Amino acid sequence: MKRSVLSIAFALCLLQALGQSLTAKITPIEMMIGEQAQVTLTVDASEGAEVQWPVFQPRQQIVPGVEVVSSSTTVANQEEQKKSTGRTMILTLTSFDGNLYHLPPFEVSVNGKKVQSADLALKVVEVEVDTTKLDQFFGPKGVQDNPFQWREWAPIFWFSVLMVVLMAIGLYLYVRLRSNKPIIRHIKIIKRLLPHQKAMKEIEQIKADKMVTSENQKEYYTKLTDTLRRYIEERYGFSAMEMTSTEIIERLMQTDQHSLDELRQLFTTADLVKFAKYSTMINENDANLVSAIDFINQTKLENQPTEEIVKPELSEADQKTKQSRRVLKALIWVVGLTSAALMAYVVYNVYMLLV
């Protein structure tokens, strides 16, 4: 009976031992200097078994020449470890020396018992170097700051100086423009009387002065004929004030035939009164006044513009001032646009050098 119990216990221990195994696999088994290889450790343990993995720190050497980059396990905590039968640990290795490395067995503790994996091998291949041309190869250099190079900053510096100079010139031109006051021309609109309106206004004044019945007949006929001469000059466009009565009648006969007989009689009477001391009757004076009014009414031009736009003429000094203001404005625009373009160029190139 005692032998049977011992046999059963030995069998259980053997089964438990057989159920706890550790396998190790490396991928790849051959790599170039500086590359990385992964070692996968897998342990098969019974449900609820406590597994303790080996602890590796980054840059820790497994063997001289092979170091750990990182390590990770697929089970995060003890509660999950008790529910899992397959446990995995991944080691990432690297090497910077060409050689064939022997990796000793990895050891894992399962329920306090140590389990080992098989040995592994890792081959690290060096880069072939032609030793006959060593002068073409140089060792690694340390990190260096980029030195200040004047040839890179010189264009930016000189363009910046030019921009400042142009801005100063633009400010000076602006001050000059502000101090040089603009020439303001006021256009006047003058309301004017038409020729017949002027003539009728003067005739009304003659009536108001009662010159028809005045004893000074020479003054009366002088004012009456002068009124007609000014009307004819403005109405027909020739110098009636400088012409004789006969010349005026002959000139009018070429353009108009209205009331020329009465007008000829009026001018003849006026010449006799002014130059031959001829005396007229009151009714004759009235008749000549009526003849003058009839001639004006028959020859007047209505529907003519009664407003005249008068544009003042600039003096030579004002014209120079106006021209100088135009030049100043044009120069300010040119300087301003050039300064803006230079500023954009400087800012862009400084940004490109500092990035």
Side-chain angles (χ1 to χ4, degrees):
M1 182 68 179
K2 189 178 291 187
R3 289 181 179 179
S4 300
V5 174
L6 291 174
S7 299
I8 293 172
F10 178 77
L12 291 173
C13 291
L14 181 61
L15 289 174
Q16 185 178 9
L18 291 174
Q20 297 174 354
S21 62
L22 178 63
T23 59
K25 181 180 179 182
I26 186 168
T27 305
I29 61 174
E30 182 178 334
M31 67 179 187
M32 299 293 292
I33 289 178
E35 293 183 344
Q36 295 179 354
Q38 287 187 341
V39 175
T40 304
L41 303 177
T42 304
V43 62
D44 292 330
S46 61
E47 184 177 354
E50 183 179 355
V51 178
Q52 292 183 354
W53 297 100
V55 178
F56 298 99
Q57 300 296 331
R59 304 193 68 177
Q60 176 183 344
Q61 290 191 350
I62 301 296
V63 294
V66 179
E67 62 183 46
V68 177
V69 177
S70 63
S71 64
S72 63
T73 58
T74 58
V75 179
N77 52 55
Q78 294 181 355
E79 293 295 329
E80 293 181 352
Q81 286 181 7
K82 294 180 180 179
K83 297 178 183 180
S84 176
T85 59
R87 319 290 172 82
T88 302
M89 181 178 188
I90 298 176
L91 292 175
T92 302
L93 308 178
T94 188
S95 177
F96 297 97
D97 293 322
N99 203 347
L100 177 60
Y101 294 97
H102 168 257
L103 303 182
F106 293 93
E107 190 174 83
V108 177
S109 177
V110 180
N111 291 329
K113 293 184 179 181
K114 297 182 179 180
V115 181
Q116 289 187 345
S117 67
D119 295 351
L120 297 176
L122 177 62
K123 184 178 181 180
V124 180
V125 182
E126 294 182 346
V127 178
E128 294 184 2
V129 179
D130 188 356
T131 58
T132 62
K133 300 179 180 178
L134 294 178
D135 57 336
Q136 296 182 2
F137 298 92
F138 302 93
K141 295 182 179 179
V143 179
Q144 297 180 355
D145 294 332
N146 291 329
F148 177 83
Q149 296 182 358
W150 171 248
R151 60 183 180 85
E152 294 180 350
W153 290 90
I156 298 176
F157 173 77
W158 291 116
F159 277 122
S160 300
V161 172
L162 179 60
M163 179 185 67
V164 173
V165 172
L166 287 178
M167 292 177 67
I169 293 175
L171 180 61
Y172 170 75
L173 294 176
Y174 179 75
V175 173
R176 283 287 306 274
L177 183 66
R178 289 292 301 271
S179 62
N180 193 0
K181 296 182 179 180
I183 303 299
I184 300 176
R185 294 189 303 171
H186 297 283
I187 298 176
K188 297 181 180 179
I189 299 177
I190 300 176
K191 292 185 178 182
R192 62 183 183 87
L193 296 175
L194 297 176
H196 68 276
Q197 293 174 337
K198 291 182 182 179
M200 293 302 297
K201 187 176 182 180
E202 293 179 6
I203 289 176
E204 291 298 328
Q205 186 63 40
I206 292 174
K207 289 181 180 180
D209 294 340
K210 297 180 181 181
M211 298 188 67
V212 177
T213 58
S214 174
E215 295 181 357
N216 192 350
Q217 296 181 354
K218 183 176 180 179
E219 182 182 5
Y220 165 68
Y221 278 101
T222 299
K223 287 189 175 183
L224 182 61
T225 54
D226 286 346
T227 299
L228 287 173
R229 287 173 183 271
R230 282 190 291 271
Y231 167 74
I232 293 171
E233 184 171 315
E234 294 183 14
R235 166 65 177 80
Y236 292 98
F238 59 88
S239 302
M241 294 297 292
E242 300 176 0
M243 300 172 66
T244 63
S245 301
T246 302
E247 291 174 342
I248 293 173
I249 297 300
E250 290 178 353
R251 186 66 180 269
L252 289 175
M253 290 179 65
Q254 299 175 6
T255 56
D256 205 332
Q257 298 292 329
H258 293 91
S259 303
L260 290 184
D261 292 338
E262 290 82 0
L263 186 64
R264 182 183 293 106
Q265 180 63 37
L266 189 156
F267 277 119
T268 301
T269 302
D271 289 341
L272 291 174
V273 171
K274 290 189 291 183
F275 303 112
K277 296 182 180 181
Y278 176 74
S279 296
T280 59
M281 303 297 292
I282 293 178
N283 59 350
E284 191 175 0
N285 295 338
D286 290 333
N288 287 327
L289 184 64
V290 171
S291 297
I293 295 173
D294 290 341
F295 175 76
I296 292 171
N297 288 330
Q298 293 179 17
T299 58
K300 66 182 179 180
L301 292 177
E302 295 182 312
N303 299 325
Q304 297 296 310
T306 59
E307 293 182 352
E308 182 180 1
I309 299 176
V310 179
K311 296 182 179 181
E313 295 183 359
L314 296 178
S315 63
E316 185 176 355
D318 291 340
Q319 291 178 355
K320 290 182 178 180
T321 302
K322 187 176 181 180
Q323 184 65 25
S324 65
R325 286 185 60 82
R326 290 178 179 175
V327 173
L328 286 175
K329 288 181 179 179
L331 288 176
I332 290 173
W333 274 103
V334 171
V335 170
L337 293 176
T338 305
S339 300
L342 288 175
M343 180 178 293
Y345 172 83
V346 170
V347 171
Y348 174 76
N349 282 273
V350 169
Y351 172 77
M352 294 301 295
L353 286 175
L354 295 179
V355 172

